[in-house]
Amino acid sequence: WEPNVQQALDKAKASGKLLFVEAYLPTCPACQAMEPNFSDKEVARKFNTGFVNYKMDLSVEGARKFLDDRKIEIPSFPQFLFFDGDGRLVHHGEANPTPASVLEVAEEALDPAQWSSNYRTRFDQGYRDMAFLVKFGAYTRVSMDTLYNHKVADALYGLFPKDDLGSSLSWSLTKRVVTDTDNGFFRYWIEHVPRAAELEKAGGHPGYEMNALGLIVQRTV
């Protein structure tokens, strides 16, 4: 891990590598679960050889400036962000706390054809695989691309099996992708708040369902 984000960016530009930024909070349970994976030998080798790496503790005052300057939002923690030498966000990833999942994000970032910054073109060309839409939707949140967020979230709702709208997957997608109260996922869940409450309680976050729905309302306003 480099000690300073600007120095890390300069080093990435000089080396021709991408800058990898893990945006995290030290008190976040998901971030704590992720941390040991970077000590895995294969993960360490992949990131140390493929990228210049910086761990961004967003509990530190002023740490967000690098992201704010680039209009990048962090909707949840941790987030994996990859920048080119000019400081442009070219790829975004979210991983499960396993070495295999972390390595999968790294492999994507090392292949320009899979970069998140290319998702718009693929979407405009008509690509509608559900897994792709979920990734693109998450990227539109991070990159604050409201126009495409609404398009992607609506396309995702169109593909989603309506018999499964009360599922944990549906609720997860709503929190991860949706920013518009006109979206079908939101309309379903605003009418089924008790079910969302059950899922949040089961996940260890009792009461968070109203926060999640309220954030969507705020973003719409």
Side-chain angles (χ1 to χ4, degrees):
W1 302 108
E2 299 294 325
N4 175 278
V5 67
Q6 186 58 52
Q7 291 176 6
L9 181 60
D10 293 342
K11 185 175 180 179
K13 186 169 186 176
S15 65
K17 296 179 180 181
L18 295 182
L19 167 63
F20 165 62
V21 173
E22 183 201 14
Y24 80 106
L25 287 175
T27 56
C28 160
C31 302
Q32 293 168 359
M34 184 64 68
E35 180 62 25
N37 293 282
F38 289 108
S39 297
D40 177 85
K41 289 183 179 180
E42 189 174 355
V43 171
R45 181 191 61 79
K46 179 69 71 175
F47 279 81
N48 287 334
T49 58
F51 312 103
V52 176
N53 305 291
Y54 180 74
K55 183 178 281 290
M56 182 175 285
D57 180 355
L58 291 179
S59 70
V60 176
E61 184 177 356
R64 290 181 181 269
K65 185 178 186 307
F66 182 86
L67 303 179
D68 291 342
D69 288 348
R70 291 160 177 80
K71 296 182 179 179
I72 294 172
E73 177 187 0
I74 304 298
S76 61
F77 299 95
Q79 295 287 336
F80 290 2
L81 309 172
F82 298 86
F83 300 87
D84 66 14
D86 293 321
R88 293 186 293 256
L89 179 67
V90 297
H91 191 63
H92 157 257
E94 296 173 324
N96 296 318
T98 66
S101 182
V102 175
L103 285 168
E104 181 179 357
V105 175
E107 292 291 351
E108 290 177 352
L110 290 169
D111 180 3
Q114 298 191 59
W115 284 355
S116 305
S117 52
N118 297 324
Y119 288 171
R120 268 192 177 202
T121 299
R122 295 173 67 187
F123 183 85
D124 288 342
Q125 291 173 344
Y127 193 61
R128 292 296 186 273
D129 176 79
M130 185 172 289
F132 163 74
L133 291 175
V134 173
K135 288 184 177 181
F136 189 14
Y139 175 67
T140 61
R141 290 278 307 277
V142 170
S143 60
M144 300 178 69
D145 185 348
T146 303
L147 175 62
Y148 271 81
N149 173 269
H150 293 174
K151 292 180 178 180
V152 173
D154 287 345
L156 186 60
Y157 177 75
L159 287 179
F160 196 84
K162 302 307 181 284
D163 290 344
D164 294 335
L165 280 173
S167 66
S168 59
L169 176 59
S170 168
W171 177 238
S172 175
L173 293 177
T174 303
K175 293 188 293 180
R176 185 176 178 186
V177 176
V178 177
T179 65
D180 180 19
T181 56
D182 286 335
N183 180 267
F185 285 113
F186 177 86
R187 293 199 304 270
Y188 175 85
W189 285 108
I190 200 66
E191 296 177 356
H192 296 83
V193 173
R195 172 57 179 158
E198 290 177 10
L199 294 170
E200 285 300 316
K201 184 176 180 180
H205 306 98
Y208 182 75
E209 65 282 350
M210 294 310 299
N211 289 342
L213 294 170
L215 285 172
I216 296 174
V217 174
Q218 290 178 15
R219 292 188 180 98
T220 302
V221 173

